[in-house]
Amino acid sequence: MNILTLLIFTPILFALIIWVMPSAWRGSFKYLTLAATLVQLGIGVWIYLHFKTGVGFAGINQEGQYQFVQKLPWINLNLGGISRMQIDYFVGIDGISIAMVVMTSLVMVIAALSSWEIKSNLKGFFILFLILDMAVIGVFCALDFFLFYLFYELMLLPLYFLIGMWGGVRREYAAIKFFLYTLFGSVFMLLVMIGLYLSVKDPVTGNHTFNMVYMMNPANYIPGSVFAAISHYQLFGMSARVLGFIILFIAFAIKVPVVPLHTWLPDAHVEAPTPVSIILAGILLKIGGYGIIRICMGIFPDIATSGAFWLGLLGIISIIYGALNALAQRDLKRMIAYSSVSHMGFVLLGIASQTPEGISGAMMQMVSHGFLSAMLFFLVGVIYNRVHDRDIYNFRGLSELMPRYTVFVMIAFFASLGLPGFSAFIAEAFSLAGAFKSYTFNGLLPQWLSAFGVLGILLSAAYLLWTLQRMFFGKELLKGGETWKLALVDLNARETITLLPLALLTLALGVMPSLVLGKINDSVLALVDITKHIITP
Amino acid sequence: MRDLLTYLPGRMDDTLSSLHYFMPEIYLGILFLLVLITGLVYKRNTGGMCRLIAIAGMVFVLAQDAIQSYFPVNTTMPLFSRMLMLHHTGVLFKLVIDVIALLILLYFAWDRQLKAHRKGLADLYAITIASVFGLHLMVMAVNLLSIYLAIEFVSLASYLMVAYKSEQGLSAGAGLRYVLFGAAASGVMLYGISLLYGFSGSMDLFDPAFINGLSQVNTLSVSFALVLVFAGLGFKLSFIPMHFWVPDVYQGAATPVTAYLSTLPKIAAFALLINFITPFVFISRWNGFDFRLFLSVIGLITMIGGNFAAIMQQNVKRMLAYSSIGHTGFALMAIVSFSTEGISSLIFYLAVYAVANLGALILASYFANITGAENMEGYRGLGFKLPAASISFVVILISLTGLPVTAGFIGKVLVFQSVYNIYQQQPDVLLLLLLATGALTTVVSLFYYIKIPLYLFLRKSDNNREYVISSQVLMISAVVIAVFLVFIGLFPNYLTKFL
């Protein structure tokens, strides 16, 4: 049994167990879900420890360098055309995926722990939760584009129901908006995927193939096909490769989300129940970033280079616009949602720089933001569950009422605003360093652009510190008066156990960034290498 | 007279040898008579008896189809002095039609409205069998005469089926409307056919003289005649602008009849469309009339119109009617590719669509049987009371939308793939437009399909009525269909190996 396959399908196994169990045992569902995520975390840690590093294990466009690979023929269709349709069950990981996989399996445990707040319809919730769990892990491990797409789309339906059935007041609107937005991006991605499939031949069998690794090698493209770099194909008066890149980028940019495609995010994050918010912010946004790195850059390095300025510009716009919006919010959860937009902008900026520092920074930011946003949304959930309100102006002086809670909030806030010693500092520093270096390294990004990134850090300090001051310091004053005061008890044991590892991890990554960087370094260098050796037509 | 005598033995031989390739149809003919006579002879419980015979008979017909499916792939066999033509694609179409027909025959008696019918269902079974005979002829017709006869054959049967529960006003109105429009459409088609015959002097589509004759006539006149023929075909395919009858008739007819109308005549009409354009497009490359342009534009309009109109609907059957128009547009895309690959993907797409649509209508029946709900509003909160049916509904709708991991997604990918492949060989911006529209309307279709899960699961209802569920057979069949769709979505090889 392949360890990745086990990792992907463990949740489904538990979902089946929950499905056959009678509803009378509903109390045990959350423990089973927690067990599933813990098993996953165990496997994830095992993979992390056994993950080999070195130039020979860089991955990216070398199929042989991927680790824990499993490749099985899956769908083989012959429709009377010239060649057969070849789809493999093909999973494997390299440095880019390992960081995401481990981060995901940890955030899933946190999400499972925060599912304690779900009270209604438990069977449905936990089954959907576990299907979603399978799909996200699958996305990070799939190396066949078709398989990737299956997992990618498979996330949508569970999320629609998770937001729509257990969400807040405007849950219907938020759920359908999320679903339509993402589907809009992904159906066009389907067209590009089919185009790539018909442009690429498996060098061994001669069939068309969905293998992503083959798609990264220009030698596998059929001369004259739509997406072959040398054929200069025009679609709607535009270079086919540029159009393909743009479509894929839009699909992933919706997920990241990049301004102006972000408007689904505040709604979905705010309306979703806490565990789903954690999954959305902690993991789903990273699928966008991962897709841009693995697919947009891996398959279209030439376009990624020529369009780097625009990517960088979009990244900066996201950083600034997200931060300004966060500054204007009254709803704590909405503020955090916008801060996600801002922080994910650094990912795009780092990717656009196409320097080893920048891409490492982007990867680090994804991992760090995965932990931090999980922590932030969990913290909002804590206060919302107690008084069903999260308007910043309705609270004051919480630090005296809930001292332990305040400590965790401070850790999360200071870590998020990039205080040295925490993971986000390393991530943002690397992204910005990469962006600045890009001017001399490959001349892709002008320096003024990177300078705006620094402004983003400043703004994030502003909204986080201001919130901290308004809600936690000063004289105690609550909108709900005495009833709220009684309801607002400090963190219980489960909540502390949930938050503690996150706080420790973000600290650990800040002090020892090599925990992540060491694993991803070879892949990042290989990625930068392919963008430098593109065929210039 | 003497001339005729020398001519006769050859004719006889031709007819006799054709009979060998006509076995499924002969079986259908016998079956029709059997069901009809049983309906007349038995007085009590005729419905049940006819049903048993009809279903058992269809199994035999299917066995005959299966024997025919060993017919070699790239050969054609003209039958009855070139009135009909047997080919591998046709056999596949017949297989799909008969499987769906079998399911619909099973389904008739499960619908409460239809079952409560005063006359009983015996006649309905006979009519359905007769119409399946007509559908078989449509699939094989290659002569203008046989095309017209086959279409009328099916039309007559469908008129009767639509008006079957005629005591209700809606059904009678729908039936009348259907007959009127249908008669007008077939009149228009007949006019087109007579023009074509006048221009070419031949009725046989595959006769070289037919195309030669047409190519010597003014292109505009030929195009006019062709458009008239397409109008008649379009009535069966229900593409825009020949779709206007669809919403009312689908809504007004009994639900199993809607299931019949939205699947079988449509599939057969696609087969007929392939037969009709083959001599023009595949054989002669005559370019007096741009079939690709014509069908692409129709396909584009149909996809957009059908899907956008479906958004506004509140009645479940009406929404499915509009969505089936949208599916016609999408399937036309596969035809436009004009390739064997495209036709294979078309068959896959239609088969999967038909099964899913049947499933959706079965569930509409199920909910109507239990709660009397026809509108989505009535589905409020039912997801928690009838979980198995509701979850199957979600899966079936996801397949109709074309999202993974369902058979509908594979169908969509195959159609996209075949069109793309042709685009790579003959760049034509129309094909790209079709692809883009196909993708866009997928998003639109999600918007209305998801309304059903929205009402089932997201909206809560205040009433705590306990529903009496008399029969679970509809729910079980819907679950089976949902499982089938997911299974084919995961392992499409099990279906495509027949193509």
Side-chain angles (χ1 to χ4, degrees), chain B residues 299-462:
Chain B
L300 282 174
I301 297 173
T302 309
M303 270 193 270
I304 294 171
N307 282 307
F308 276 94
I311 293 180
M312 267 85 86
Q313 307 310 320
Q314 276 300 319
N315 182 290
V316 176
K317 273 161 77 182
R318 209 174 170 82
M319 182 205 78
L320 287 172
Y322 276 109
S323 90
S324 93
I325 297 174
H327 280 281
T328 298
F330 196 88
L332 276 174
M333 187 151 106
I335 295 258
V336 168
S337 73
F338 297 148
S339 64
T340 47
E341 205 185 356
I343 288 168
S344 303
S345 51
L346 174 73
I347 296 174
F348 186 94
Y349 183 82
L350 284 176
V352 167
Y353 153 77
V355 172
N357 209 38
L358 190 60
L361 286 164
I362 283 179
L363 284 165
S365 268
Y366 179 72
F367 284 115
N369 282 357
I370 292 176
T371 66
E374 301 268 340
N375 286 343
M376 292 184 203
E377 193 62 33
Y379 285 6
R380 235 169 218 283
L382 285 182
F384 302 101
K385 288 176 185 150
L386 308 164
S390 303
I391 292 169
S392 312
F393 217 153
V394 174
V395 172
I396 287 166
L397 291 172
I398 285 301
S399 179
L400 281 172
T401 317
L403 296 183
V405 283
T406 54
F409 173 67
I410 305 285
K412 212 151 231 177
V413 169
L414 292 180
V415 172
F416 277 145
Q417 199 246 147
S418 57
V419 175
Y420 222 110
N421 216 350
I422 298 305
Y423 176 79
Q424 211 151 301
Q425 292 155 28
Q426 322 159 17
D428 186 341
V429 79
L430 265 177
L431 296 176
L432 272 191
L433 269 179
L434 278 171
L435 287 171
T437 315
L440 191 70
T441 48
T442 303
V443 184
V444 177
S445 72
L446 175 79
F447 193 76
Y448 58 80
Y449 282 131
I450 203 80
K451 278 209 287 196
I452 290 180
L454 174 83
Y455 278 99
L456 285 176
F457 288 105
L458 269 56
R459 298 258 164 100
K460 304 281 186 287
S461 81
D462 323 322

Side-chain angles (χ1 to χ4, degrees), chain A residues 19 74-83 85 121 146 149-150 153-154 156-157 160-161 163-165 171-172 175-176 179-180 183-185 187-188 190-199 208 210 222 224-227 233-236, chain B residues 340-342 344-345 384 391 394 398 401-405 409-410 412-414 416-418 420-421 423-427 429 432-433 435-437 439-440 442-444 446-447 450-451 453-454 457-460 489-493 496 499:
Chain A
W19 183 53
W74 174 26
I75 300 176
N76 242 314
L77 305 180
N78 193 354
L79 286 177
I82 317 125
S83 65
M85 187 172 202
N121 219 335
F146 193 87
Y149 191 82
L150 282 193
E153 293 271 89
L154 199 57
L156 298 184
L157 203 66
Y160 172 78
F161 285 114
I163 298 173
M165 287 170 72
R171 56 179 185 271
E172 272 179 29
I176 192 68
F179 203 160
L180 286 178
L183 188 70
F184 178 80
V187 283
F188 286 96
L190 176 67
L191 290 183
V192 176
M193 175 178 107
I194 294 170
L196 281 167
Y197 154 77
L198 287 169
S199 302
H208 289 301
F210 280 106
I222 303 162
S225 59
V226 171
F227 285 113
Y233 221 90
Q234 299 275 317
L235 300 174
F236 298 117
Chain B
T340 47
E341 205 185 356
S344 303
S345 51
F384 302 101
I391 292 169
V394 174
I398 285 301
T401 317
L403 296 183
V405 283
F409 173 67
I410 305 285
K412 212 151 231 177
V413 169
L414 292 180
F416 277 145
Q417 199 246 147
S418 57
Y420 222 110
N421 216 350
Y423 176 79
Q424 211 151 301
Q425 292 155 28
Q426 322 159 17
V429 79
L432 272 191
L433 269 179
L435 287 171
T437 315
L440 191 70
T442 303
V443 184
V444 177
L446 175 79
F447 193 76
I450 203 80
K451 278 209 287 196
L454 174 83
F457 288 105
L458 269 56
R459 298 258 164 100
K460 304 281 186 287
L490 283 172
F491 304 103
N493 283 23
T496 49
L499 297 179

Side-chain angles (χ1 to χ4, degrees), chain A residues 223-245:
Chain A
S225 59
V226 171
F227 285 113
I230 40 168
S231 53
H232 300 293
Y233 221 90
Q234 299 275 317
L235 300 174
F236 298 117
M238 217 170 156
S239 160
R241 277 181 80 80
V242 173
L243 190 68
F245 178 85

Side-chain angles (χ1 to χ4, degrees), chain B residues 152-217:
Chain B
E152 281 308 283
F153 201 148
V154 175
S155 296
L156 274 177
S158 348
Y159 299 152
L160 291 172
M161 288 167 79
V162 170
Y164 201 76
K165 49 163 199 170
S166 56
E167 56 266 50
Q168 279 112 330
L170 199 55
S171 182
L176 188 62
R177 189 178 298 212
Y178 187 43
V179 173
L180 284 177
F181 287 141
S186 78
V188 167
M189 184 177 186
L190 192 59
Y191 185 48
I193 285 176
S194 56
L195 280 179
L196 285 182
Y197 177 58
F199 291 148
S200 64
S202 169
M203 290 287 230
D204 186 352
L205 290 175
F206 285 82
D207 184 358
F210 180 70
I211 300 284
N212 286 341
L214 287 185
S215 56
Q216 283 154 21
V217 186

